[in-house]
Amino acid sequence: MDLTVGAGGHAKVIAEALGPEGLLVAVDRDQVALDIARSTLVGQPVEFVRGFFGDLTEIARSVEGRRFDGILADIGVSSMQLDDAERGFSFRGDGPLDMRMDRSEPVSAKEYLANVPTDELTRVIAEYGEERFARRVASAIDRARNAGSIDTTGELAEIVRRAVPKSRGSDKDPATRTFQAIRIAVNRELEALDHLLGRFGTLLAPGGRFAVISFHSLEDRQVKQAFRTRAQEGDYQLLTRNAVRPSPAEVSRNPRARSARLRVLRRKREGEQ
Ligand SMILES: C[S@@+](CC[C@H](N)C(=O)[O-])C[C@H]1O[C@@H](n2cnc3c(N)ncnc32)[C@H](O)[C@@H]1O
């Protein structure tokens, strides 16, 4: 099961490696991603499910209680979502302030920013964005929303850039951290991960492996802690003592991979020590 099929990059490699009896179930919360994956994976033994891994009960129902030998979650936002200005994730282009991975969800980033209390926004930007100037940014957003609604990614990026001193020696856009934080909050990403880490066992067959790729230190810490606890309890075996990181060659081919961390856990079979 690929819980985050996206454009189908991992899924294609997995599907091609399946034996004659093999089947891949490909899940994503984003209908646009599923449509693209469907065309990438045409002719492969793949079943598609629109689903949110923050609710595994619903996904388990869609697959009628089947168990899987491998479950992969490559979490976060996809390049496809980031690069499409219309999806409203990016501070580079100008688009509607949306940021929903699943466009049928009721709250976009624009609505979130219109309603979130300033203290809560400060916490979100500080924690999820690891932004030192979170209070300044949240106050600037508060002043801007009191003066009128914030409608576009360009407007939000300018508000943040004016609020944050540009750090010397870094060519990173100062809006990066705040955009990441708001995206994580709008999509309830940490709650979804927490749910997944607590319930993946309902979908994993004995002997099966559960692999998570994360891009954010908060998420990686959550994964590391949950995997250690499971291994200590005895029913699971940790296959990655340290997170697997991309090689320098991979990072130079694909710079967005630079902060990726892979961790893998294996479910023991009955009676296995
Ligand atoms: C980093 S991309 C995956 C890319 C994919 N592995 C590939 O090879 O093309 C993450 C994908 O996960 C989806 N996603 C993120 N959180 C999700 C969740 N809680 N439930 C289901 N899908 C989710 C996003 O919509 C996005 O398409």
Side-chain angles (χ1 to χ4, degrees), residues 159-171:
I159 295 165
V160 179
R161 286 182 195 124
R162 281 199 298 268
V164 175
K166 198 165 174 22
S167 59
R168 257 182 273 147
S170 162
D171 51 7

Side-chain angles (χ1 to χ4, degrees), residues 18 20 22 35 71 86 101 135-137 141 144 146 151 155 166 184 210 216 220 235 237 243 249 257 260 268:
L18 290 173
D35 292 342
I71 301 178
E86 280 305 303
M101 292 186 198
R135 185 160 294 283
R136 276 205 221 179
V137 174
I141 291 174
N146 290 333
D151 297 318
E155 282 167 39
K166 198 165 174 22
I184 290 175
F210 175 45
H216 189 296
D220 183 52
D235 291 340
Q237 173 194 4
K268 292 182 182 170

Side-chain angles (χ1 to χ4, degrees), residues 2-11 27-30 33 51-55 59 72 74-81 87 101-102 187-189 192-193 213 215:
D2 182 347
L3 281 171
T4 52
V5 67
H10 289 133
V27 180
D28 207 289
R29 71 197 291 191
D30 180 357
F52 172 54
F53 65 62
D55 183 0
I59 292 180
L72 170 65
D74 175 17
I75 59 185
V77 72
S78 70
S79 291
M80 221 162 43
Q81 290 163 334
R87 300 293 303 263
M101 292 186 198
D102 172 357
N187 291 290
R188 295 175 288 133
E189 292 178 44
L193 177 60
I213 304 173
F215 289 82

